[in-house]
Amino acid sequence: MTMASEKLVYVVEDSISSGALYSSYLEQAGYQTRHFTDGHSALLGIKEQMPDVLLQDVCLPDISGLEVMRFAKERGDVPVIIITANSSIDIAVDAMRLGGFDFIEKPFSKDRLMTSVASACEQIQAEQTGRLKKNRSGSTTNKMKSVRDHFVGDSSTMNAVYNLLESAARSKASVFVTGESGTGKEVCAQSLHSASARASGPFIAINCAAIPTELFESEIFGHEKGAFSGAVSQRIGAAEQADGGTLFLDEICEMDLSLQAKLLRFLQTGSYQRVGGQKTLHSDIRIVCATNRDPAQDVAEGLFREDLYYRLNVIRVQLPPLRARGNDVITLANHFLREKNDSNDKHFLGFTNDAEAQIKAYPWPGNIRELQNVIENIVVIHDGDYIEGSMLESLNNVAQQLNNSPGTPPAPPLAQTMPTSINGVQNIKPLWQVEKEAIESAISQCGDNIPLAAACLGVSASTIYRKIKGWENSH
């Protein structure tokens, strides 16, 4: 790894005392520094000599810090770390979308500053190593991969996603992935990790909907032995496991509000404590989160903290549904066919024209996950050289049901339990019972395919599994 002493860091901070403090921290670690107290001086310094890292305050007395950042980016691919106060958080987010590497909020600790600068230098080192190996051998042999290596399909909608992900991978900015259930949000997170300088570090995935609320803090931050009943040994949490790598938080909108506050503090400071512990720990991670819900709507309804949402929603990636990806559906179908052939010792060569036409016409409410399940089901059950349209008859049945549905499953027969009667008001079912009947009806109509039922209801499959488990535990 390149020594810190070989790296030049420009500190652009109008406060003389703060700038001197940051420079002092950096110089103690072996970095070379230059401190500028206004934007125009910084522009002249950048024109004279490009720094390796730019530590940039967004609020300057003469020009915006974003102008300094743009000027530097036009002259070289320098990583820019944004310094911001709470009042300028929106500007910092804009800067990250313009290609900033990271942003840190005042007041911040020495550890937070040094971790960010070290990560930026690691990014430089990884890119230089990758270019060197490519020049010598004609191909890149280091652990960093292209985002496209993880995806199948070349539609215009996905090419736009690939380009955004390639840009995002080169920063430490948090990424918020949204899209319908089954569109490949975890694959998206893995691609960001593999295409970044963190590729050699760990990738830790947490499904926020699958963890009981009372265990969530322990799952993320770990716990000490004896911290609570059942804590028979120390546990290392996801934040500690992901140090130097990427933490993927799937179904982030399912996270309890109390833990959201602790996650926000961790993102701001990079520090945390295990449950039941006194020692303050530090972890350098990149956060990628995902949801199939509308996070802005959850913020409006008070279900998700607004400050955490803006901290996470620095780079927004919207994955398109499969029905919006054109011929990608056939490319994916062939890809899954080859996979399932290999795993089931089958020898299908492809699809007939009729089968392809049916695959294109079907709306795929369960998206890629549903397509994969359908192909696997056909390969397991049938034999032959080609998959024919008759083998896809189940798609026609489901499509008919979807087309005949106004958007929600029809009401099931009368409930087995009697309606509630309170203060003379009768014939009103409890909300949990209505929800249970709707979910059970959807599962039945979808042939016990829970991911498909979840897609039709507009929720995640993990939400349905959690509901079912709750009903079972209540009896």
Side-chain angles (χ1 to χ4, degrees), residues 9-217:
V9 181
Y10 280 2
V11 178
V12 186
E13 164 64 70
D14 61 329
S15 167
I16 296 176
S17 58
S18 294
L21 181 63
Y22 307 153
S23 297
S24 173
Y25 289 156
L26 292 164
E27 288 168 2
Q28 288 173 19
Y31 296 96
Q32 299 178 42
T33 68
R34 289 184 66 184
H35 177 204
F36 302 93
T37 56
D38 61 77
H40 285 109
S41 297
L43 297 181
L44 291 173
I46 292 168
K47 189 174 181 181
E48 176 185 335
Q49 181 184 6
M50 278 292 292
D52 293 296
V53 179
L54 180 61
L55 186 63
Q56 176 70 58
D57 191 357
V58 294
C59 295
L60 299 174
D62 49 356
I63 60 175
S64 167
L66 295 187
E67 291 187 44
V68 179
M69 175 181 169
R70 289 193 187 96
F71 184 83
K73 285 287 187 181
E74 288 172 358
R75 281 155 180 76
D77 197 15
V78 56
V80 181
I81 299 170
I82 305 299
I83 305 173
T84 177
N86 289 333
S87 60
S88 57
I89 190 74
D90 291 340
I91 301 175
V93 170
D94 289 340
M96 297 299 290
R97 289 171 178 157
L98 291 171
F101 177 78
D102 192 11
F103 75 87
I104 49 182
E105 295 176 58
K106 298 178 181 178
F108 50 83
S109 66
K110 175 182 177 181
D111 286 336
R112 179 69 177 90
L113 171 63
M114 301 311 300
T115 295
S116 185
V117 174
S119 295
C121 291
E122 288 174 8
Q123 176 84 18
I124 297 168
Q125 182 72 14
E127 291 176 355
Q128 290 174 344
T129 302
R131 284 194 293 267
L132 180 61
K133 290 182 177 180
K134 185 171 183 180
N135 290 336
R136 287 178 175 174
S137 64
S139 61
T140 302
T141 57
N142 67 322
K143 292 186 178 181
M144 292 174 62
K145 296 181 179 179
S146 168
V147 162
R148 296 172 187 257
D149 293 341
H150 291 262
F151 291 91
V152 175
D154 198 38
S155 62
S156 58
T157 53
M158 285 307 295
N159 277 321
V161 171
Y162 301 150
N163 292 335
L164 178 57
L165 291 176
E166 290 284 4
S167 297
R170 303 185 68 249
S171 79
K172 192 188 173 185
S174 298
V175 176
F176 210 132
V177 186
T178 57
E180 296 177 9
S181 182
T183 49
K185 293 186 283 293
E186 184 165 352
V187 172
C188 182
Q190 289 174 330
S191 74
L192 278 166
H193 174 74
S194 297
S196 74
R198 297 171 175 266
S200 58
F203 176 86
I204 304 297
I206 295 291
N207 188 327
C208 299
I211 303 171
T213 302
E214 62 272 14
L215 298 178
F216 215 119
E217 185 176 358

Side-chain angles (χ1 to χ4, degrees), residues 429-464:
K429 297 178 184 178
L431 184 59
W432 69 265
Q433 188 177 326
V434 176
E435 180 181 62
K436 183 172 184 287
E437 291 171 356
I439 290 174
E440 289 176 341
S441 175
I443 292 173
S444 176
Q445 290 185 68
C446 294
D448 294 330
N449 185 332
I450 289 181
L452 175 58
C456 294
L457 290 170
V459 299
S460 67
S462 58
T463 297
I464 292 184

Side-chain angles (χ1 to χ4, degrees), residues 417 432 436 469-475:
T417 58
W432 69 265
K436 183 172 184 287
K469 185 176 180 180
W471 298 329
E472 291 172 348
N473 293 338
S474 65
H475 293 294

Side-chain angles (χ1 to χ4, degrees), residues 368-397:
I368 300 171
R369 187 183 296 120
E370 182 187 1
L371 174 63
Q372 184 176 16
N373 291 340
V374 166
I375 299 300
E376 182 173 24
N377 181 271
I378 291 172
V379 170
V380 169
I381 294 175
H382 298 278
D383 289 296
D385 292 330
Y386 289 89
I387 290 181
E388 301 174 359
S390 59
M391 299 176 186
L392 294 163
E393 185 176 352
S394 60
L395 292 185
N396 294 326
N397 296 334

